[in-house]
C-alpha cells in the first residue's frame, strides 16, 4: 500500500475567490530594477548556456526542444541532476521543482532504479521489439495498485495513450463525440488541441490542424456539471458521446481545481448516459498515490491514461489501462480478421521503459514517496502562504498533494470574450510575459519551476530543501511592483 500525498483536500471555493480577486488587480510583477539585476545575473553567471543556445538556434527551432523551457532571457543548459538538485553548464545549482514536468517522484537520477535499468540494458540493450518479462511485471504491478486497470498496454507517451483511449472508446461505443474539460491538457494530438490552457478557447491554439479533426471534440467548463449534462443530452440526439475524459485533479494538473465531489458527479452522469469515463492520470498516477486520483476519490473509470511516473522519467512513458472488455480491442500481434483499435510504436514497452516503470513503482511504495513528497509540498505551500500574507500580495498558493500551485499573474485565468478579442489577447500577452519574468526571477535565485507557476515535489525534497527554497522565493518577492495591464 502506498499512502496519499494529499493530506487535506483544498478549499476549492476559497481558491477561486482569491483567483477572482487576483484578476481584478494590476499585475504584481518583478520591478524593472529587479528584472535588470536578474538579466544581468544570467549574462554574467550563465555564459556557457548562452553560448550553447546561440549555437543551438542555428539547428533547432527556437534553440530549444521542450515547451516547458524558459526562453527568458535564454534557456539554461543543464548538465547534472541528482536528488533535489540540477546543475547547469556553468556549474550553478538549482532546486528542481520542475521534476521534468512530473515523472520524477524519487528525486533526480535515483540510483536504485538506474542500477536496475543498467542491469537490463547490459543484458539485452534498450530494445528488441520482442516480449520482455518486465512488460508483464509492470502490467501486473499496475493492476495491483489500480483494480480498474484489468489490462494494461504500454505506449510511448501520454499523448499517444490519450489518443488510444479515445480510439478504444469510439470503437467500443460506436459513438464519436468526446467531451473534455476546458483548459485540460491531454497531449498534442489533432483532436485534443482544443480548449487548451484557458476554458472557452476551443481551436485557439490549433494552428496547422484542420477544423475537421476537432469536429467531435467538445469542451465544458470545469466544475460545471449542468453543461456536461446538457452536452450529453444534446449529443444523444446526434449520435451520442463515446467518452468523457477528465484530469481528475482539475485541468492543467489542477491549475483550475475541482470541487471534491465533481468526479463522482461526472461518473454518475456517465453511467446515466451510458458513456465511458476516461481518467487521464498522466500526472496523478504515482504522484497523488500509486492507485492514482481514482484511488484517492474512490472512483473506477472505464479507461485510464498513463504517462510520466509510469516510466519513472525514462523514455517511453505512456500506457492505457482499463476494463478487460474494452482493452481487448487493443490486442496486438500479427493476426488477421480482427476489428481492432490500431495503436503501435517501435519503441513502446521497451525493456528499458518497463524495467524503469516497474522499479519506480516498487521504490515509491517502499519509500512511501507520495506521502513524503506531499509533506514537502504542504511545507512549501504553508511557507509561501506566510510570505504572501506578510507582504500583502494577492498571490494564490495551494497544493494537491505533491502538486504545488503558485498563481501570481493569472495568465490562464483571463476571461475569454470573442466580442473583445483584441483586449483579451493583449491581456493574455501581458500576463504571460509577467509569468515568464517571474519564472526567470525564480531561476536566477536558483529555483526551477514549471512555467513560473507550478512546483512538483519528490522524495528528495527534505525540510532543508524546502526551507532553502522559501528563502529564495522571499528574495524574489522583495522585487515586486505593480503594473497596469493595459499600458
Ligand atoms: C494530464 C496530461 N495528459 C497528457 C499529457 C501528455 O503526455 P506526454 O507529454 O507524455 O505526451 C500530459 C503532459 O504533460 C499531461 O499533463
Amino acid at each position: 500500500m502506498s499512502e496519499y500525498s494529499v493530506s487535506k483536500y483544498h478549499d476549492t471555493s476559497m481558491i477561486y475567490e482569491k483567483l477572482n480577486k487576483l484578476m481584478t488587480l494590476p499585475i504584481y510583477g518583478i520591478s524593472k530594477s529587479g528584472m535588470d539585476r536578474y538579466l544581468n545575473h544570467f549574462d554574467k553567471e550563465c555564459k556557457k548556456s548562452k553560448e550553447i543556445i546561440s549555437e543551438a538556434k542555428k539547428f533547432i527551432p527556437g534553440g530549444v526542444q521542450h515547451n516547458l523551457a524558459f526562453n527568458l532571457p535564454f534557456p539554461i543548459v543543464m548538465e547534472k541532476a541528482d536528488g533535489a538538485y540540477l546543475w547547469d553548464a556553468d556549474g550553478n545549482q538549482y532546486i528542481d521543482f520542475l521534476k521534468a514536468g512530473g515523472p520524477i517522484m524519487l528525486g533526480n537520477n535515483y540510483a536504485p532504479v538506474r542500477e536496475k535499468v543498467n542491469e537490463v540494458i547490459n543484458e539485452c540493450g534498450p530494445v528488441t521489439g520482442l516480449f520482455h518479462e518486465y512488460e508483464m511485471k509492470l502490467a501486473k504491478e499496475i493492476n495491483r495498485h489500480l483494480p480498474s486497470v484489468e489490462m494494461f498496454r504500454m505506449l510511448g507517451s501520454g499523448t499517444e495513450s490519450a489518443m488510444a483511449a479515445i480510439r478504444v472508446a469510439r470503437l467500443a461505443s460506436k459513438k464519436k463525440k468526446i467531451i473534455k474539460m476546458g483548459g485540460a491538457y491531454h497531449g498534442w494530438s489533432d483532436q485534443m488541441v482544443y480548449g487548451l490552457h484557458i476554458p472557452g478557447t476551443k481551436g485557439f491554439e490549433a494552428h496547422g490542424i484542420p477544423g475537421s479533426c476537432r469536429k467531435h471534440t467538445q469542451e465544458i467548463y470545469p466544475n460545471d456539471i449542468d453543461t456536461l449534462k446538457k452536452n450529453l443530452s444534446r449529443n444523444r440526439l446526434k449520435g451520442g458521446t463515446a467518452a468523457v475524459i477528465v484530469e481528475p485533479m482539475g485541468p492543467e494538473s489542477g491549475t483550475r481545481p475541482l470541487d471534491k465531489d465533481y468526479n463522482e458527479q461526472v461518473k454518475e452522469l456517465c453511467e446515466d448516459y451510458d458513456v465511458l469515463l476516461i481518467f487521464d492520470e498522466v500526472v496523478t498516477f504515482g504522484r497523488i498515490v500509486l492507485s492514482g486520483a481514482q484511488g484517492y476519490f474512490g472512483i473506477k473509470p472505464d479507461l485510464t491514461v498513463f504517462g510520466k511516473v509510469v516510466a519513472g522519467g525514462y523514455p517511453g512513458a505512456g500506457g492505457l489501462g482499463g476494463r478487460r472488455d474494452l482493452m481487448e480491442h487493443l490486442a496486438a500481434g500479427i493476426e488477421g480478421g480482427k476489428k481492432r483499435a490500431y495503436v503501435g510504436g517501435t519503441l513502446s514497452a521497451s525493456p528499458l521503459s518497463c524495467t524503469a516503470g516497474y522499479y519506480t513503482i516498487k521504490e515509491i511504495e517502499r519509500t512511501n514517496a507520495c506521502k513524503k513528497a506531499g509533506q514537502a509540498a504542504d511545507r512549501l505551500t504553508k511557507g509561501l502562504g506566510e510570505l504572501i500574507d506578510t507582504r500583502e500580495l494577492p498571490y494564490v498558493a495551494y497544493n494537491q498533494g505533491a502538486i504545488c500551485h503558485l498563481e501570481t499573474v493569472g495568465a490562464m485565468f483571463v476571461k475569454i470574450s470573442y466580442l473583445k478579442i483584441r483586449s483579451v489577447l493583449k491581456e493574455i500577452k501581458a500576463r504571460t510575459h509577467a509569468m515568464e519574468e517571474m519564472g526567470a526571477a525564480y531561476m536566477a535565485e536558483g529555483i526551477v519551476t514549471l512555467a513560473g507557476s507550478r512546483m512538483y515535489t519528490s522524495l528528495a525534497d527534505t525540510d532543508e530543501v524546502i526551507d532553502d527554497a522559501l528563502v529564495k522565493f522571499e528574495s524574489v518577492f522583495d522585487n515586486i511592483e505593480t503594473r497596469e495591464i493595459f499600458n
Side-chain angles (χ1 to χ4, degrees):
M1 271 295 287
S2 83
E3 291 180 79
Y4 303 135
S5 63
V6 185
S7 58
K8 186 168 170 267
Y9 200 75
H10 45 67
D11 182 341
T12 313
S13 37
M14 193 175 80
I15 295 170
Y16 279 109
E17 208 176 287
K18 287 185 178 178
L19 287 169
N20 289 339
K21 173 137 190 261
L22 176 75
M23 298 309 284
T24 64
L25 299 171
I27 290 176
Y28 282 61
I30 305 292
S31 64
K32 168 94 179 59
S33 59
M35 210 55 221
D36 286 347
R37 230 179 15 260
Y38 286 135
L39 294 178
N40 191 36
H41 158 91
F42 288 113
D43 261 347
K44 268 179 58 197
E45 306 297 331
C46 302
K47 288 198 168 80
K48 271 200 189 161
S49 282
K50 192 173 180 180
E51 214 178 283
I52 293 169
I53 295 294
S54 66
E55 185 66 8
K57 278 191 175 152
K58 295 182 200 157
F59 304 99
I60 294 170
V64 72
Q65 320 246 24
H66 291 105
N67 292 339
L68 298 178
F70 282 110
N71 293 322
L72 184 75
F74 46 80
I76 299 299
V77 180
M78 290 302 168
E79 220 168 61
K80 188 179 156 189
D82 189 30
Y85 300 103
L86 295 171
W87 287 265
D88 71 14
D90 293 274
N92 300 303
Q93 179 181 293
Y94 301 84
I95 296 175
D96 175 23
F97 287 136
L98 175 60
K99 303 288 192 290
I104 307 298
M105 257 325 263
L106 295 159
N108 283 312
N109 206 358
Y110 184 73
V113 174
R114 188 185 63 231
E115 281 155 16
K116 292 292 181 189
V117 169
N118 282 344
E119 267 174 35
V120 171
I121 292 187
N122 287 342
E123 198 58 30
C124 76
V127 67
T128 64
L130 297 173
F131 202 88
H132 193 283
E133 193 186 357
Y134 274 110
E135 292 175 47
M136 185 268 291
K137 286 185 162 185
L138 176 63
K140 260 178 99 169
E141 196 61 22
I142 289 174
N143 166 264
R144 186 165 75 80
H145 289 286
L146 296 96
S148 81
V149 179
E150 292 168 357
M151 299 191 115
F152 175 75
R153 168 108 189 230
M154 199 165 195
L155 293 162
S157 66
T159 299
E160 289 178 20
S161 309
M163 283 165 64
I166 290 168
R167 198 163 292 175
V168 167
R170 284 178 169 155
L171 178 62
S173 67
K174 302 191 173 52
K175 293 167 189 158
K176 293 198 183 102
K177 297 268 185 282
I178 300 293
I179 304 180
K180 76 180 281 278
M181 265 186 278
Y185 184 60
H186 302 290
W188 51 278
S189 69
D190 283 355
Q191 59 201 332
M192 283 289 107
V193 177
Y194 189 76
L196 290 193
H197 299 115
I198 305 177
T201 47
K202 300 183 176 165
F204 223 53
E205 299 197 51
H207 309 294
I209 305 175
S212 56
C213 296
R214 50 183 183 275
K215 189 171 150 204
H216 300 293
T217 311
Q218 298 175 343
E219 60 162 317
I220 43 142
Y221 216 83
N223 287 320
D224 180 356
I225 208 77
D226 290 341
T227 310
L228 174 59
K229 193 169 177 184
K230 270 188 206 139
N231 279 34
L232 289 168
S233 296
R234 208 178 310 124
N235 291 349
R236 193 144 71 174
L237 305 171
K238 294 182 182 170
T241 310
V244 176
I245 182 166
V246 296
E247 280 187 77
M249 281 291 165
E252 263 297 326
S253 311
T255 297
R256 281 175 194 263
L258 297 176
D259 297 328
K260 194 165 184 199
D261 61 353
Y262 179 76
N263 287 294
E264 186 59 49
Q265 294 184 58
V266 174
K267 169 83 180 157
E268 278 166 22
L269 275 183
C270 284
E271 279 168 5
D272 290 351
Y273 285 82
D274 194 19
V275 165
L276 295 169
L277 174 62
I278 304 170
F279 264 23
D280 181 337
E281 298 247 25
V282 167
V283 169
T284 47
F285 165 69
R287 180 157 289 281
I288 294 301
V289 68
L290 280 174
S291 56
Q294 57 194 267
Y296 177 74
F297 290 114
I299 291 172
K300 253 185 157 183
D302 299 292
L303 291 166
T304 300
V305 178
F306 293 84
K308 304 195 192 267
V309 171
V310 85
Y314 286 81
L320 178 63
R323 270 170 38 197
R324 184 177 305 277
D325 61 313
L326 299 174
M327 290 301 292
E328 280 181 340
H329 289 294
L330 286 174
I334 298 174
E335 193 183 353
K338 265 197 187 149
K339 208 174 186 184
R340 68 183 183 198
Y342 204 92
V343 303
T346 306
L347 296 183
S348 292
S350 71
L352 185 154
S353 47
C354 294
T355 307
Y358 175 76
Y359 284 106
T360 296
I361 294 172
K362 284 285 190 202
E363 283 297 298
I364 287 177
E365 188 173 19
R366 187 185 68 77
T367 58
N368 209 1
C370 293
K371 180 158 189 199
K372 289 181 184 160
Q375 286 167 342
D378 285 350
R379 190 178 182 92
L380 181 58
T381 308
K382 184 166 173 281
L384 286 170
E386 284 163 9
L387 294 179
I388 291 167
D389 288 348
T390 326
R391 286 172 166 67
E392 297 183 354
L393 294 166
Y395 300 164
V396 190
Y398 64 97
N399 69 305
Q400 304 160 303
I403 309 168
C404 213
H405 301 271
L406 172 59
E407 203 52 70
T408 55
V409 294
M412 284 196 237
F413 291 88
V414 177
K415 278 221 161 52
I416 297 302
S417 156
Y418 286 91
L419 294 175
K420 298 183 197 158
I421 200 66
R422 281 170 79 107
S423 68
V424 168
L425 291 176
K426 210 169 165 190
E427 182 174 356
I428 293 176
K429 198 170 165 196
R431 290 189 183 276
T432 306
H433 182 66
M435 188 172 86
E436 259 191 296
E437 288 192 335
M438 220 62 205
Y442 299 145
M443 195 87 164
E445 294 287 354
I447 301 177
V448 188
T449 59
L450 193 157
S453 60
R454 200 180 315 154
M455 284 85 69
Y456 290 124
T457 52
S458 83
L459 177 68
D461 294 321
T462 58
D463 287 355
E464 293 72 45
V465 172
I466 298 299
D467 293 347
D468 184 20
L470 287 168
V471 172
K472 295 177 191 306
F473 276 113
E474 190 168 15
S475 302
V476 174
F477 292 170
D478 281 339
N479 290 284
I480 302 301
E481 71 180 15
T482 56
R483 124 179 35 130
E484 292 303 326
I485 295 159
F486 298 107
N487 62 12

